[in-house]
Structure formats: C-alpha cells, structure tokens
Amino acid sequence: MPGVGAVVVAAGRGERFGAAKQFLPLDGSRLVDRAIAACAAVADAVVVVLPTGITWDGSPAATPVVGGATRSASVRAGLDALVARDPATEVVIVHDAARPLADRALFDAVVAAVRGGADAAVPAVPVADTIKRVEGDRVVATLERAGLVAVQTPQAFRTAALRSAHVAGGEATDDAALVEAHGGVVVWVPGSPRNFKITDLADFDRAAALLVPEPR
Ligand code: CTP
Ligand code: MG
C-alpha cells in the first residue's frame, strides 16, 4: 500500500524465554522473518529493529537499525529510520517480531481504521479471565471485566500522531498507550486468539503445534 511503512521490533533480550526468541526458527522460518514477511505484504517499506552487534542476514527488503534498552526506545529508533527513508509515510505499522501468527486480515483492519480517520488502531480480544490487582501475596482489587480487552500488534498509526506521541520519550508496553496519553483517538478492531505473543517456551511450543498440518 502506498504511504504505508512498518517497524518490526526485534531488539528484545527474551529474558522470560531465556534466549533471543525472535531468531528461533518456527516451522523453518525465524520469528523475525515471519513478522517482516507479514509486514511486507501490506507496507512499501519495512524497518527491522535489532539488538546491537547483530549482522542482518534476513530479507534485504527490510532496513536494519539498532534498537534501544526498552521496547519504546526500539520503536523510536525504527520510526526515525522509516521517516528518514520516506518522509511521505502516512501510516506506520508497528509489529512485534514475537508474534509469528498475525494474519493479513489484522494488518488490513488496523490500516483501514487509520485511513478511516483514527490516530491509532489496535487489535484487541476480550479478556476471558477475571483480572485482579495484586501487591505481594495480597489481592487488593478486582477489575470490572466487562470492557477489558487484551491488546496485540500489528498496531497502525497516523505517522504524525505516532511521532508526536514519541517525541517526548515515554515508556509503555505498547505505542497506542503513548498516543492515548497524548490525547489521540485510538480505536480497536477484533484481534485474533491465534495472534498470541511468544513470551515463554510454552508459547513457542503452542505456536509450533498450530503450524503442524492436520492429519488427513
Ligand atoms: N523489543 C525490542 N526492544 C526492546 C525490548 C523488546 O525491540 N528493548 C521487542 C521484542 O524483540 C519483541 C517485542 O518488542 O519482539 C515484544 O517484547 P517482549 O515480548 O517483551 O520481548 P523481550 O523484551 O525480548 O522479552 P522479555 O521481556 O522476556 O525480556
Ligand atoms: Mg520485554
């Protein structure tokens, strides 16, 4: 799509996993390569944000840049590179390398929502479990589950909205939170239960099982 750029964040350390999970192959293709391919299907430029000291040996269609100490810092590095490359980028997609099972439909839905006027769009799935706030071993509050959703990537942004949300720095586990804090209009589209993030080894095993062909 003209005017669409994508940032794949792949500069994490994978502390909970125990390894830089984004470079592990899943059914023959590394998580980072899967995320880039998914982005390249909808974006005309893709930047991949990598840990320091990595020589990029993946798709030449992705421009490698070095990330930061936090996810937000890595997104900023990717965004700066994307805008420097193509200042006319109207819509920016931010996608976690750690989500190998994001469907094309999710990318199309978030981009369409931004093209439709939102500052940002995120895929979200209703929360099934009751969510409580805890402090140490004490449960201190129970949140009202109605109206709670769990949010995924790919997230899409009007480039100017994402840039102004990031300009003052700021840290959040997703970029939409920075746009919300900046007063931007953030909408959600239906996410996919398949599009879970690979956080620990059990998630990786689950994703691998989903990619095994059904017996006939
Ligand atoms: N990420 C990044 N730069 C960072 C931290 C995270 O680009 N400084 C990326 C990760 O590579 C991943 C995505 O952001 O694709 C989501 O982060 P997460 O699942 O938390 O991965 P890690 O930070 O690598 O894992 P952990 O928090 O367990 O260390
Ligand atoms: Mg992390």
Side-chain angles (χ1 to χ4, degrees):
M1 267 182 259
V4 179
V7 174
V8 172
V9 280
R13 297 159 57 103
E15 276 172 12
R16 287 166 290 179
F17 193 92
K21 59 204 178 186
Q22 62 271 38
F23 302 115
L24 293 181
L26 182 66
D27 195 28
S29 177
R30 298 182 302 180
L31 301 189
V32 65
D33 298 321
R34 287 176 172 273
I36 289 168
C39 286
V42 294
D44 41 15
V46 181
V47 168
V48 59
V49 188
L50 299 168
T52 44
I54 298 269
T55 304
W56 179 237
D57 59 355
S59 169
T63 304
V65 300
V66 173
T70 62
R71 185 183 181 283
S72 296
S74 292
V75 171
R76 281 191 280 280
L79 181 60
D80 287 349
L82 195 65
V83 172
R85 223 196 101 143
D86 185 0
T89 304
E90 292 164 14
V91 178
V92 176
I93 296 166
V94 179
H95 188 40
D96 291 330
R99 292 186 193 268
L101 299 177
D103 292 335
R104 168 73 191 253
L106 282 181
F107 287 85
D108 289 339
V110 290
V111 171
V114 171
R115 290 235 188 264
D119 292 312
V122 302
V125 290
V127 171
D129 294 323
T130 297
I131 308 288
K132 295 184 189 287
R133 189 183 306 284
V134 297
E135 285 171 15
D137 66 355
R138 279 286 294 274
V139 172
V140 295
T142 299
L143 304 185
E144 178 66 51
R145 190 175 62 200
L148 287 184
V149 293
V151 166
Q152 308 174 333
T153 73
Q155 303 190 346
F157 302 87
R158 207 164 48 76
T159 306
L162 186 60
R163 291 194 86 188
S164 47
H166 269 287
V167 83
E171 293 300 328
T173 50
D174 79 350
D175 303 284
L178 298 176
V179 176
E180 290 156 38
H182 219 255
V185 175
V186 181
V187 301
W188 68 278
V189 303
S192 162
R194 249 175 89 86
N195 181 30
F196 55 88
K197 183 165 66 70
I198 308 291
T199 300
D200 57 28
L201 196 53
D203 299 320
F204 189 86
D205 290 345
R206 193 168 137 219
L210 284 170
L211 290 169
V212 172
E214 299 271 323
R216 302 203 286 157

